[in-house]
Amino acid sequence: GAGVSQSPRYKVAKRGQDVALRCDPISGHVSLFWYQQALGQGPEFLTYFQNEAQLDKSGLPSDRFFAERPEGSVSTLKIQRTQQEDSAVYLCASSSLGHKNTGELFFGEGSRLTVL
Amino acid sequence: LAKTTQPISMDSYEGQEVNITCSHNNIATNDYITWYQQFPSQGPRFIIQGYKTKVTNEVASLFIPADRKSSTLSLPRVSLSDTAVYYCLVPFNQGGKLIFGQGTELSVKP
């Protein structure tokens, strides 16, 4: 597609369930980012991929969060044993530039996760 | 660390010019400054990017002084549809990690 696509757009999970959020970046984009955005806050960095390599995962809040991009294209953010504090919008962004990444990030619409 | 500081909120009226200033005291030599706009329930959208002096595109201008410790996003003749949150970003340690601050919530009134 023409833009970054995220699915599902909305997800409601019971506390303790596992969830998987998918991101389809713009074709050919090297860099892929995941951000978490709580209501009324700016996006918080979670992790960054360059192709299939996860170069930075320092923003993942706990070991319940796991991200992968096995073929350097589609990425999945997995959250195990969800907690209420995980409720947020999860944003994916891609960029055509690599490591220093001074270019434009293209964001998806986000996946809104609500944990009951 | 290349941390950014912006006003939390600003009010304006339709037709006015709006200037939003961002401080980034620890910006690195090779860092670019990028501004994004975010509407409710949408992902951020790129507005403009610059390195020094002045950059202008069809929606905004970006002014960067010689010391590059701050930058000012200028929106000419705002309309109601410019009501959004505006973020300035600089790279984090040039490692590709882009950190968003709290942003500036701009409210444009009729």
Side-chain angles (χ1 to χ4, degrees):
Chain A
V4 177
S5 177
Q6 293 188 245
S7 61
R9 286 294 314 277
Y10 303 93
K11 175 70 178 178
V12 178
K14 292 183 179 179
R15 191 175 59 179
Q17 283 185 331
D18 298 347
V19 300
L21 307 176
R22 177 187 169 103
C23 173
D24 281 87
I26 293 173
S27 178
H29 274 196
V30 171
S31 296
L32 186 145
F33 297 78
W34 283 99
Y35 287 86
Q36 179 192 59
Q37 187 170 28
L39 190 64
Q41 303 295 314
E44 295 279 346
F45 171 84
L46 293 178
T47 187
Y48 160 61
F49 290 86
Q50 184 171 310
N51 298 307
E52 68 278 4
Q54 189 173 20
L55 298 188
D56 191 327
K57 57 181 180 179
S58 62
L60 296 176
S62 77
D63 59 6
R64 297 186 295 103
F65 287 70
F66 172 77
E68 61 182 4
R69 193 186 186 198
E71 298 179 357
S73 177
V74 171
S75 178
T76 304
L77 176 66
K78 297 179 180 178
I79 309 172
Q80 298 177 323
R81 304 181 303 282
T82 53
Q83 303 295 315
Q84 285 187 324
E85 62 264 28
D86 299 334
S87 295
V89 175
Y90 291 86
L91 294 164
C92 176
S94 70
S95 168
S96 60
L97 299 183
H99 183 66
K100 291 189 175 181
N101 196 37
T102 59
E104 176 180 355
L105 292 187
F106 293 83
F107 281 84
E109 297 283 278
S111 292
R112 181 179 295 277
L113 172 65
T114 303
V115 181
L116 303 177
Chain B
L1 302 183
K3 179 182 176 181
T4 60
T5 304
Q6 307 171 232
I8 293 175
S9 64
M10 294 181 69
D11 291 331
S12 182
Y13 291 93
E14 282 191 291
Q16 288 187 331
E17 177 184 80
V18 170
N19 296 309
I20 306 174
T21 297
C22 176
S23 297
H24 28 78
N25 291 322
N26 296 323
I27 190 169
T29 302
N30 296 325
D31 282 349
Y32 279 72
I33 301 148
T34 312
W35 284 79
Y36 286 82
Q37 174 193 55
Q38 187 177 28
F39 296 113
S41 301
Q42 294 186 22
R45 183 175 70 99
F46 174 91
I47 301 175
I48 197 167
Q49 183 181 73
Y51 181 77
K52 62 179 179 180
T53 61
K54 177 183 175 182
V55 179
T56 297
N57 62 21
E58 64 277 8
V59 298
S61 295
L62 180 60
F63 297 92
I64 304 168
D67 66 7
R68 302 196 338 112
K69 293 186 176 183
S70 67
S71 59
T72 298
L73 174 72
S74 180
L75 304 173
R77 299 179 299 282
V78 294
S79 64
L80 296 177
S81 63
D82 293 317
T83 294
V85 179
Y86 293 82
Y87 298 94
C88 80
L89 279 74
V90 294
F92 179 94
N93 284 348
Q94 300 185 340
K97 180 176 178 176
L98 294 174
I99 303 296
F100 285 78
Q102 286 290 90
T104 298
E105 186 170 6
L106 173 65
S107 177
V108 180
K109 303 174 182 178

